[in-house]
Coordinates of all heavy atoms in Angstrom, one line a residue:
Chain A
Y25 N 98.5 202.7 116.3 CA 99.2 201.7 117.1 C 99.0 202.2 118.6 O 98.7 203.3 118.9 CB 100.7 201.6 116.8 CG 101.5 203.0 116.9 CD1 102.2 203.1 118.1 CD2 101.5 203.9 115.9 CE1 102.9 204.3 118.2 CE2 102.1 205.1 116.1 CZ 102.9 205.3 117.3 OH 103.6 206.4 117.5
S28 N 103.5 203.0 123.0 CA 104.2 204.3 122.9 C 105.7 204.1 122.8 O 106.4 205.1 122.5 CB 103.9 205.2 124.3 OG 104.2 204.4 125.4
A29 N 106.2 202.8 123.0 CA 107.6 202.5 122.9 C 108.0 202.4 121.4 O 109.2 202.3 121.1 CB 108.0 201.4 123.7
S30 N 107.1 202.3 120.5 CA 107.4 202.1 119.0 C 108.2 203.3 118.6 O 107.8 204.6 118.9 CB 106.2 201.9 118.3 OG 105.5 200.9 118.6
N31 N 109.3 203.1 117.8 CA 110.1 204.2 117.5 C 110.6 204.1 116.0 O 111.4 204.9 115.5 CB 111.4 204.3 118.4 CG 112.1 203.0 118.4 OD1 112.0 202.1 117.6 ND2 113.0 202.8 119.4
Y32 N 110.0 203.2 115.3 CA 110.5 203.0 113.9 C 109.1 202.5 113.1 O 108.4 201.7 113.6 CB 111.5 201.9 113.8 CG 111.9 201.5 112.3 CD1 112.5 202.5 111.5 CD2 111.6 200.2 111.8 CE1 112.8 202.1 110.2 CE2 111.9 199.9 110.5 CZ 112.5 200.8 109.8 OH 112.8 200.6 108.4
F33 N 108.9 203.3 112.1 CA 107.6 203.2 111.4 C 107.7 203.0 109.9 O 107.8 203.9 109.1 CB 106.7 204.4 111.7 CG 106.7 204.7 113.2 CD1 107.6 205.6 113.8 CD2 105.7 204.2 114.0 CE1 107.6 205.8 115.1 CE2 105.6 204.4 115.4 CZ 106.6 205.3 116.0
D49 N 110.2 204.5 105.3 CA 110.1 204.4 106.8 C 110.4 205.7 107.4 O 111.0 206.6 106.8 CB 111.1 203.3 107.3 CG 112.5 203.5 106.7 OD1 112.9 204.6 106.2 OD2 113.4 202.6 106.9
I50 N 110.2 205.8 108.6 CA 110.4 207.1 109.4 C 110.7 206.7 110.8 O 110.3 205.7 111.4 CB 109.2 208.0 109.3 CG1 109.5 209.4 109.7 CG2 108.0 207.5 110.1 CD1 108.4 210.4 109.4
R51 N 111.6 207.5 111.4 CA 112.1 207.3 112.8 C 111.2 208.3 113.7 O 110.6 209.3 113.2 CB 113.5 207.6 113.0 CG 114.3 206.8 112.1 CD 114.7 205.3 112.5 NE 115.6 204.8 111.6 CZ 116.8 204.6 112.0 NH1 117.2 204.9 113.2 NH2 117.7 204.0 111.1
S52 N 111.2 207.9 114.9 CA 110.3 208.7 115.8 C 110.7 210.2 115.9 O 110.0 211.0 116.5 CB 110.2 208.0 117.2 OG 111.5 208.0 117.8
N53 N 111.9 210.5 115.6 CA 112.4 211.9 115.8 C 112.0 212.8 114.5 O 112.5 213.9 114.4 CB 113.8 211.9 116.2 CG 114.8 211.3 115.0 OD1 114.2 210.6 114.3 ND2 115.9 211.6 115.1
V54 N 111.4 212.2 113.6 CA 111.1 212.9 112.4 C 109.5 213.0 112.1 O 109.0 211.9 112.4 CB 111.7 212.3 111.1 CG1 111.4 212.9 109.9 CG2 113.3 212.3 111.4
G55 N 108.9 214.0 111.8 CA 107.5 214.0 111.5 C 107.1 213.7 110.1 O 105.9 213.1 109.9
L66 N 104.1 211.1 110.6 CA 104.0 210.5 111.9 C 103.4 211.5 112.9 O 103.9 212.7 113.0 CB 105.4 210.1 112.3 CG 105.6 209.6 113.7 CD1 104.7 208.4 114.0 CD2 107.0 209.4 114.1
N67 N 102.5 211.1 113.6 CA 102.0 211.8 114.7 C 102.2 211.0 116.0 O 101.3 210.1 116.3 CB 100.5 212.3 114.6 CG 100.0 213.1 115.7 OD1 100.4 213.0 116.8 ND2 99.0 214.0 115.3
K68 N 103.3 211.1 116.7 CA 103.6 210.2 117.8 C 102.7 210.5 119.0 O 102.4 209.5 119.8 CB 105.1 210.4 118.2 CG 105.7 209.1 118.5 CD 107.2 209.1 118.6 CE 107.6 207.7 119.0 NZ 108.0 207.5 120.4
T69 N 102.2 211.6 119.2 CA 101.4 212.0 120.3 C 100.0 211.2 120.2 O 99.5 210.7 121.1 CB 101.0 213.4 120.3 OG1 102.3 214.3 120.5 CG2 100.2 213.9 121.5
D93 N 107.4 199.5 115.1 CA 108.4 198.6 115.8 C 109.1 199.3 116.9 O 109.4 200.6 116.7 CB 109.4 198.3 114.6 CG 110.4 197.3 114.9 OD1 110.5 196.9 116.1 OD2 111.2 196.9 114.1

Side-chain angles (χ1 to χ4, degrees):
Chain A
Y25 61 95
S28 56
S30 295
N31 55 19
Y32 175 66
F33 306 93
D49 56 12
I50 196 169
R51 307 279 187 105
S52 60
N53 58 343
V54 178
L66 171 65
N67 185 329
K68 220 166 176 251
T69 303
D93 186 356

